[in-house]
Amino acid sequence: PNSSYQNPQSAYRRHRDAGGRNHCENKRSRPNQQQQHHHHHQSGPAPNLSTRKELYERDFPVYKQPVEIGCFSLDSERRFFNDGRQMRYYVEPERNPNFDLRDGYKDRYIKRDGNVKEKLDHILRWILANKSKLCSKGAAASPCALDFDFVTWRGHLTKLLTTPYEMREGWLLAVTRFKGTLYISEVETEAARREQENRTERHEEMMYWGYKFEQYTCADDVHSLPDPGGVVNTNEAFCTVVQTRLADHRLLFSGEVDCRDKDPKAPAPPACYVELKTSAEICTPKQRSNFHRFKLLKWWAQSFLPGVPRVVAGFKDDEGVVVNVDTFPISKISQLIKNEHNCWKPTVCMNFCCDFLSFVKQIAIEDHPSVVYLFSSEPRRDVTFSVHRDSQYSFLPHWFVEEMSSRPDAHHQP
Ligand code: GDP
Ligand code: MG
């Protein structure tokens, strides 16, 4: 039971794993005093959710091996395609490649327009494109109901996983219950908007460096090589859609994938996927400790969720030159951080996420496409919520609501 803790990768449980206990069951079968007193604060009429990490140090919850159920691509103009045309292939660089990440900034850089808020639109488009295989049909003429409790982006779940350790940034998550499924979509906080507006030119360029590293290490085809002379266009994306279960929460989420192993004998997705990162060169014990405590937490959470097994990191100097490249298997990260005093724990991340999802199920009761339950988190504070009807926060588009409400054959009617 506790071994999943040693190796979070082994925490993926298969369907019939009898050892799989989860806290949601524990809470009912052996309630724990600490939880009863501090877990859900009863301050006034609205219950809140604590983010204190001590409350989440329990057995690792059941997290089923994520299964890829589809993928989609966004092209250079951010147009959606229900296929893997934007998939790229990993080409292993030398250990000390001296990639110049500044090359091409800004003359070969096309940046996605960050002012366009896409919300869940691409995932919703994917759901409609795959409606026939996703919808469970009850009565003959019944509309589409999904066999999922939650639909969201992987990035939103990453933020949930890291919440008990987040000391700088809060988040806002909008939740709508529609035909029994809870859709979670992020809302930009006032603080994040201000930070974006006040970005320095240096920060702007450093954001480019991450994409440039991808260009140095990814090829468009199995047999071709990377093209560092090409244009970096951040509109382009390949996204995987995975299905999994966290305790009793059935999840469907999508995440952007950087590239895959090009070996034809590589395992099936998502096990063949590779996440690419850049990070500042590590020169001192203090820098190493900060890397373990903060960077590896984010990297682990992001890749563990969809079952991506490795991160390839390019360590860069202040001039934007990649001085060395290292591979971090996700299953080894919890070992790596064990020497850090007071470090983050995978079980805390997963248990907090699990409890947050239970909290959402309990709060977001009204099933209506324009009702939004807005959950808010600030560092060192409980998660709170507010309810909004037909407001600026509604995020399910009409085209999605209508298509999901129509009978399966509606389009063929005269
Ligand atoms: P991540 O884990 O934070 O990278 O996010 P996901 O993989 O869940 O990606 C969600 C969607 O948001 C994808 O279509 C990405 O192309 C897009 N995306 C990723 N990062 C950003 C960002 O910083 N800003 C915006 N506006 N979109 C992003
Ligand atoms: Mg990346």
Side-chain angles (χ1 to χ4, degrees):
N2 254 337
S3 64
S4 53
Y5 203 41
Q6 309 292 319
N7 178 359
Q9 200 73 28
S10 74
Y12 296 133
R13 301 264 169 72
R14 294 196 190 281
H15 213 70
R16 290 160 60 69
D17 187 339
R21 276 183 291 158
N22 67 66
H23 112 85
C24 300
E25 286 152 12
N26 289 348
K27 212 160 48 182
R28 278 188 291 270
S29 56
R30 33 165 198 138
N32 140 342
Q33 279 191 322
Q34 199 184 24
Q35 256 176 35
Q36 287 193 322
H37 284 119
H38 303 293
H39 200 59
H40 292 110
H41 289 286
Q42 205 71 48
S43 50
N48 295 333
L49 180 71
S50 176
T51 60
R52 286 180 46 208
K53 48 189 178 308
E54 304 76 35
L55 296 174
Y56 301 95
E57 298 201 357
R58 310 187 290 261
D59 286 352
F60 203 88
V62 171
Y63 190 64
K64 275 183 62 185
Q65 181 81 54
V67 173
E68 180 174 84
I69 55 171
C71 65
F72 59 85
S73 294
L74 305 172
D75 74 0
S76 59
E77 291 167 59
R78 208 69 181 164
R79 288 175 299 207
F80 172 95
F81 294 90
N82 181 32
D83 58 43
R85 68 183 66 190
Q86 293 289 349
M87 169 80 81
R88 292 180 300 175
Y89 299 85
Y90 178 60
V91 178
E92 194 178 335
E94 295 175 49
R95 247 190 105 77
N96 307 103
N98 288 324
F99 292 144
D100 176 10
L101 301 180
R102 304 179 100 157
D103 179 53
Y105 187 77
K106 302 169 167 179
D107 52 312
R108 283 175 287 126
Y109 183 28
I110 297 173
K111 205 175 109 192
R112 178 187 54 222
D113 182 353
N115 296 321
V116 179
K117 298 298 170 213
E118 300 174 325
K119 296 171 278 193
L120 296 187
D121 290 5
H122 299 306
I123 301 179
L124 304 181
R125 239 169 239 124
W126 181 87
I127 288 174
L128 291 187
N130 295 275
K131 200 178 159 203
S132 57
K133 71 176 181 197
L134 286 173
C135 290
S136 60
K137 287 157 201 134
S142 79
C144 184
L146 300 177
D147 287 323
F148 294 99
D149 298 309
F150 294 94
V151 168
T152 192
W153 284 110
R154 177 270 310 274
H156 302 355
L157 294 174
T158 305
K159 288 199 174 173
L160 288 171
L161 261 63
T162 59
T163 297
Y165 299 107
E166 184 56 62
M167 293 300 140
R168 298 185 318 163
E169 289 167 11
W171 47 252
L172 287 170
L173 292 172
V175 178
T176 290
R177 186 186 286 267
F178 176 55
K179 295 188 184 299
T181 295
L182 292 146
Y183 294 83
I184 305 180
S185 181
E186 189 172 28
V187 172
E188 190 175 45
T189 62
E190 200 50 50
R193 201 181 55 79
R194 274 200 298 270
E195 188 147 310
Q196 219 179 62
E197 276 177 359
N198 299 330
R199 255 187 225 142
T200 61
E201 180 50 42
R202 166 88 179 165
H203 188 179
E204 237 6 279
E205 180 173 353
M206 287 177 74
M207 289 174 56
Y208 168 80
W209 294 359
Y211 296 107
K212 186 67 188 177
F213 180 61
E214 295 178 13
Q215 191 191 53
Y216 276 114
T217 51
C218 295
D220 288 340
D221 302 282
V222 186
H223 301 291
S224 65
L225 289 173
D227 174 20
V231 171
V232 170
N233 186 329
T234 62
N235 287 300
E236 298 175 4
F238 166 81
C239 294
T240 179
V241 181
V242 306
Q243 161 179 351
T244 186
R245 183 163 62 81
L246 172 58
D248 60 347
H249 308 302
R250 297 167 299 164
L251 315 178
L252 181 156
F253 59 86
S254 175
E256 190 173 345
V257 169
D258 292 331
C259 58
R260 61 160 291 162
D261 188 331
K262 64 178 159 56
D263 186 339
K265 281 177 270 177
C272 60
Y273 291 150
V274 180
E275 172 65 32
L276 302 169
K277 295 288 186 200
T278 62
S279 195
E281 182 186 10
I282 296 167
C283 304
T284 68
K286 173 85 177 162
Q287 286 170 342
R288 177 167 306 275
S289 174
N290 282 336
F291 172 75
H292 287 164
R293 301 172 69 85
F294 305 110
K295 263 301 160 60
L296 283 184
L297 164 60
K298 300 262 160 92
W299 292 5
W300 174 84
Q302 186 192 35
S303 288
F304 179 75
L305 279 164
V308 171
R310 62 180 159 144
V311 175
V312 171
F315 292 95
K316 57 187 164 43
D317 65 17
D318 292 338
E319 266 81 66
V321 174
V322 174
V323 287
N324 57 72
V325 172
D326 242 324
T327 295
F328 293 86
I330 293 302
S331 61
K332 300 251 168 77
I333 287 181
S334 63
Q335 298 292 346
L336 253 180
I337 61 167
K338 284 250 159 69
N339 293 325
E340 295 297 337
H341 186 59
N342 261 332
C343 205
W344 58 276
K345 296 186 174 96
T347 202
V348 168
C349 300
M350 298 304 284
N351 281 316
F352 174 77
C353 183
C354 181
D355 283 16
F356 174 76
L357 298 178
S358 301
F359 182 59
V360 168
K361 275 183 180 170
Q362 178 195 309
I363 300 297
I365 295 299
E366 190 177 343
D367 194 310
H368 193 284
S370 64
V371 173
V372 163
Y373 295 84
L374 187 64
F375 292 83
S376 170
S377 176
E378 288 295 335
R380 288 176 286 261
R381 299 264 175 264
D382 288 0
V383 175
T384 61
F385 72 93
S386 51
V387 191
H388 307 262
R389 295 189 160 74
D390 300 299
S391 72
Q392 52 176 341
Y393 297 118
S394 296
F395 62 87
L396 289 183
H398 285 118
W399 51 261
F400 180 72
V401 172
E402 267 147 42
E403 179 100 6
M404 292 292 278
S405 305
S406 71
R407 285 172 291 109
D409 297 335
H411 287 305
H412 308 296
Q413 304 286 312

